[in-house]
């Protein structure tokens, strides 16, 4: 009989439609794992209500009254998936032996959890859940996700392909994670920086069984953009490169117009003027935009605002 205290952390945003099913599946898995002696009876399922507008928190409260393995954290406002997850992980980091984070819709196969705990028992600190097939995602989601991982790699951020936020972390990995104070938190990237022995567990991803995605395209894009700019300064170098290129082109254009002028062939020059005005204007705007993005990040960091605010908890 092992006494691994496992805490599963589930961020929930307007998930009243999926919670009953999710809780019964998780409850059943916990019962089984306890019977098999894989986890201690003190293991918990922590549901983090990320400022939901529906009955999510009511459901969580009812659940934790009926079954003491369920616990709840209520955030005071919608802090976003990453911050909600962080709120959960930071709350459990001193009480658990290891944590597993998973989405409320159970698109990630919960049967991978026992395999993750086995890895933990072998002394692994971080176990990444990796999808081995994306057949259930729409073609569009698959394409954007692949492009995202490729882009992240090109830009130098170390991310694991097809790994979302389904992972096991040991207590010491969580404690190391708590040393990262950044506001623009991109967990997938930061966990790689934490280091410690890690391994991967493969699973098939299924469809959301109820409710709809809380990640519309707009949120997905801003998530990808945040991920890139909080991990890489390559966009700044790119701007530098583009500026340099623009200078070279300008020199070539100057040489060309001087020569043309020397041969008495200079025309009114309207076209080249218009092109260079637009081109330079464009380059400048893009540059200012990218630099602005970083200044925005610095601005957020220096304010040191709390990343989430817990209103109630019974963990
Ligand atoms: N989520 C959250 N806060 C948000 C948006 C989403 O806590 O502002 C949670 C949501 O309840 C779910 C997880 O993040 O547990 C992933 O969301 P979803 O399944 O909708 O994303 P998708 O799988 O479509 O990428
Ligand atoms: Mg989902």
């Amino acid at each position: 009989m092992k006494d691994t205290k496992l805490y599963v952390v589930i961020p929930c945003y307007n998930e009243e439609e999926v919670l009953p099913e999710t809780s019964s599946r998780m409850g059943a898995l916990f019962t089984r794992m306890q019977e098999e002696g894989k986890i201690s009876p003190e293991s918990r399922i922590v549901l983090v209500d990320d400022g939901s507008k529906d009955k999510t928190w009511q459901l969580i409260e009812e659940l934790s009254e009926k079954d003491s393995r369920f616990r709840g954290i209520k955030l005071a406002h919608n802090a976003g998936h990453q911050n909600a997850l962080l709120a959960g992980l930071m709350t459990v980091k001193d009480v658990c032996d290891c944590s597993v984070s998973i989405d409320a819709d159970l698109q990630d196969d919960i049967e991978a959890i026992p395999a993750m705990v086995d890895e933990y028992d072998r002394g692994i600190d971080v176990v990444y859940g990796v999808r081995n097939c994306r057949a259930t995602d729409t073609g569009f989601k698959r394409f954007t996700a692949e492009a995202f991982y490729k882009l992240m790699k090109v830009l130098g951020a170390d991310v694991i392909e097809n790994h979302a936020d389904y992972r096991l972390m040991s207590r010491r990995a969580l404690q190391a994670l708590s040393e990262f104070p950044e506001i623009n938190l991109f967990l997938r990237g930061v966990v790689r920086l934490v280091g410690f022995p890690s391994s991967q567990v493969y699973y098939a991803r299924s469809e959301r069984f109820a409710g709809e995605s809380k990640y519309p395209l707009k949120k997905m894009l801003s998530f990808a953009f945040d991920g890139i700019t909080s991990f890489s300064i390559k966009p700044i170098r790119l701007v530098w490169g583009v500026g340099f290129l623009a200078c070279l082109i300008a020199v070539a254009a100057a040489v060309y117009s001087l020569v043309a002028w020397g041969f008495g062939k200079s025309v009114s020059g309207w076209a080249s003027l218009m092109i260079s005005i637009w081109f330079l204007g464009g380059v400048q705007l893009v540059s200012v935009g990218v630099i602005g993005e970083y200044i925005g990040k610095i601005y957020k960091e220096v304010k040191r605002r709390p990343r989430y605010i817990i209103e109630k908890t019974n963990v």
Side-chain angles (χ1 to χ4, degrees), residues 84-155:
L85 191 52
L86 187 73
L89 294 177
M90 292 302 106
T91 307
V92 306
K93 76 175 188 329
D94 299 316
V95 283
C96 70
D97 290 325
C98 62
S99 73
V100 167
S101 49
I102 187 169
D103 289 350
D105 54 8
L106 299 192
Q107 279 186 287
D108 305 313
D109 184 9
I110 58 171
E111 291 304 322
I113 294 179
M116 287 180 172
V117 174
D118 285 342
E119 291 292 286
Y120 169 78
D121 288 338
R122 277 199 316 123
I124 306 286
D125 286 279
V126 183
V127 187
Y128 300 98
V130 178
R131 283 170 222 167
N132 52 14
C133 103
R134 275 188 172 266
T136 55
D137 278 345
T138 59
F140 177 72
K141 177 118 193 178
R142 215 154 47 204
F143 172 75
T144 48
E146 257 161 41
F148 172 66
Y149 289 117
K150 294 253 155 63
L151 189 65
M152 287 297 280
K153 280 229 169 91
V154 170
L155 291 175

Side-chain angles (χ1 to χ4, degrees), residues 8-15 18-19 22 45-52 56 60 73 75 78-89 100-106 108 165-166 187 208 214-215:
V8 172
V9 176
I10 311 181
C12 309
Y13 179 55
N14 295 341
E15 298 285 15
V18 304
L19 266 183
T22 299
I45 300 158
V46 179
L47 301 155
V48 185
D49 174 20
D50 186 14
S52 300
T56 299
I60 294 175
I73 299 172
L75 299 190
N78 181 237
H81 175 218
Q82 299 286 291
N83 286 323
L85 191 52
L86 187 73
L89 294 177
V100 167
S101 49
I102 187 169
D103 289 350
D105 54 8
L106 299 192
D108 305 313
D165 281 305
Y166 185 25
L187 273 173
R208 191 176 243 282
K214 309 296 181 291
Y215 259 103

Side-chain angles (χ1 to χ4, degrees), residues 175-189:
Q175 276 161 355
L177 179 68
S178 70
E179 306 282 318
F180 288 76
E182 56 208 79
I183 303 278
N184 295 291
L185 190 80
F186 185 61
L187 273 173
R188 270 168 244 186

Side-chain angles (χ1 to χ4, degrees), residues 53-65:
K53 294 184 190 77
D54 64 1
K55 290 214 261 350
T56 299
W57 179 246
Q58 260 162 277
L59 288 177
I60 294 175
E61 271 187 326
E62 281 166 24
L63 213 60
S64 61
E65 270 161 33

